[in-house]
Amino acid sequence: MNNDQQRWTEIEHLPEWDEEFYDVYTAKKFGKWVMLKTLKADLRDKPEMQQMLEKEFDVRYNLAHPHIIMINDLEDVPGIGRCIITDDVYGDSLAKLLREGKVTKEHVSKLRNQLVDALEYIQDNHLAHHPLRPENIIFTENIGNLKLIDVGFDQRESLTPTDTSEDIYNYGLVIKRVLDHCDVEDPVLRRVAERCLDPDPKRRPRTIQNLRLALVNRSTQRLYLWIIAFLAVMVLLLVWISLCPPTPKI
């Protein structure tokens, strides 16, 4: 057995995970499971597509977030070609869970929280990426952790309001599709999804921070307001006490 055969074993194509320009594989590298992302066969010899693959590797190599797939290396794999090597995130895509009617309350909760965390990280790092969709949202096999697998092909100086608005719109599309095709009832999340899908971008949440606030239940918002009001009263009381002259002793 040659060195490449020892290095790479159990290579398997995962058609459901394929992206527009890429095929996705699972494999073992020296016995450890990883994922491989490589250009589709008819694109591998095109210099501009090879540059796109290498640029995506450069953009994503230094990203580190618990809900975004980690990139480890860029190398040639026998029989496949040049590949981006990522952590293994074997599990089910949201698209598959929707098709099989297996979306649970826990999945919806993670879409409400973990997915927003990932989107915020993407925007904070000014990453241009393909539209968010159920196919690139993965729930890992054992603990059901949410992972995004297609998070950026370019890094810019800044994102435009249009970029941010499109992310929020696509988040609304994902959430509405999920709530329309599962038994989970979440009126707050549905209202937020409808706001995200407003035809007028000015009426959508403007930023991820605004989206977070919209996702907070109103009763929780009222609690926060009461706490803030109480703290404000206490501060004013302390200021008043400190400014009042001491009572003279008789």
Side-chain angles (χ1 to χ4, degrees):
M1 182 180 292
N2 62 37
N3 186 56
D4 281 339
Q5 289 174 321
Q6 293 176 328
R7 185 181 185 87
W8 294 105
T9 58
E10 300 188 47
I11 299 174
E12 180 184 352
H13 183 209
L14 302 175
E16 184 183 351
W17 291 35
D18 287 349
E19 301 172 15
E20 182 179 2
F21 303 111
Y22 300 112
D23 287 336
V24 178
Y25 293 78
T26 184
K28 281 186 176 179
K29 180 181 180 181
F30 291 128
K32 178 184 176 181
W33 284 107
V34 296
M35 308 292 287
L36 311 177
K37 179 176 176 176
T38 187
L39 290 167
K40 291 184 179 296
D42 59 338
L43 303 175
R44 291 174 193 167
D45 295 329
K46 297 183 178 181
E48 67 274 16
M49 302 306 292
Q50 295 168 2
Q51 290 174 7
M52 181 186 73
L53 177 73
E54 294 189 6
K55 184 173 185 178
E56 180 166 341
F57 170 77
D58 291 338
V59 166
R60 294 180 56 188
Y61 182 69
N62 290 317
L63 299 181
H65 190 276
H67 304 306
I68 290 176
I69 189 171
M70 297 288 293
I71 282 182
N72 300 323
D73 210 343
L74 179 69
E75 61 180 279
D76 294 315
V77 177
I80 298 178
R82 199 146 182 82
C83 296
I84 291 174
I85 315 299
T86 77
D87 287 344
D88 175 45
V89 288
Y90 191 75
D92 292 323
S93 70
L94 178 59
K96 181 179 180 182
L97 293 171
L98 285 167
R99 284 198 308 272
E100 297 179 355
K102 294 181 178 179
V103 176
T104 67
K105 186 176 181 179
E106 287 72 23
H107 293 127
V108 174
S109 176
K110 290 172 181 178
L111 292 169
R112 181 174 183 153
N113 298 298
Q114 295 180 356
L115 182 54
V116 174
D117 289 345
L119 284 175
E120 183 174 39
Y121 183 82
I122 288 169
Q123 291 194 0
D124 285 347
N125 284 275
H126 307 152
L127 299 176
H129 58 95
H130 297 295
L132 181 70
R133 56 197 179 96
E135 287 76 9
N136 55 28
I137 300 169
I138 304 298
F139 290 94
T140 57
E141 185 174 37
N142 294 322
I143 61 175
N145 193 32
L146 183 148
K147 293 277 188 177
L148 285 183
I149 63 172
D150 185 12
V151 299
F153 54 81
D154 195 9
Q155 192 165 27
R156 300 173 179 170
E157 289 288 331
S158 62
L159 296 180
T160 67
T162 299
D163 294 326
T164 302
S165 186
E166 286 179 355
D167 276 347
I168 289 171
Y169 180 85
N170 288 320
Y171 177 80
L173 279 179
V174 169
I175 296 301
K176 186 175 186 305
R177 180 174 171 187
V178 166
L179 294 178
D180 285 348
H181 292 84
C182 74
D183 296 329
V184 178
E185 293 293 333
D186 190 330
V188 172
L189 189 56
R190 185 173 288 279
R191 284 197 299 270
V192 170
E194 290 169 354
R195 278 191 59 197
C196 292
L197 294 173
D198 196 299
D200 183 356
K202 293 180 181 178
R203 290 201 291 263
R204 299 173 195 160
R206 298 290 186 91
T207 65
I208 296 297
Q209 291 74 21
N210 292 149
L211 178 60
R212 284 189 188 281
L213 288 174
L215 287 167
V216 175
N217 189 285
R218 289 183 178 180
S219 61
T220 305
Q221 288 180 330
R222 286 197 294 270
L223 175 61
Y224 289 156
L225 290 174
W226 277 110
I227 293 172
I228 292 170
F230 173 77
L231 292 175
V233 169
M234 293 302 294
V235 169
L236 290 173
L237 181 59
L238 290 172
V239 170
W240 179 78
I241 291 172
S242 67
L243 293 177
C244 285
T247 304
K249 294 182 179 180
I250 300 176

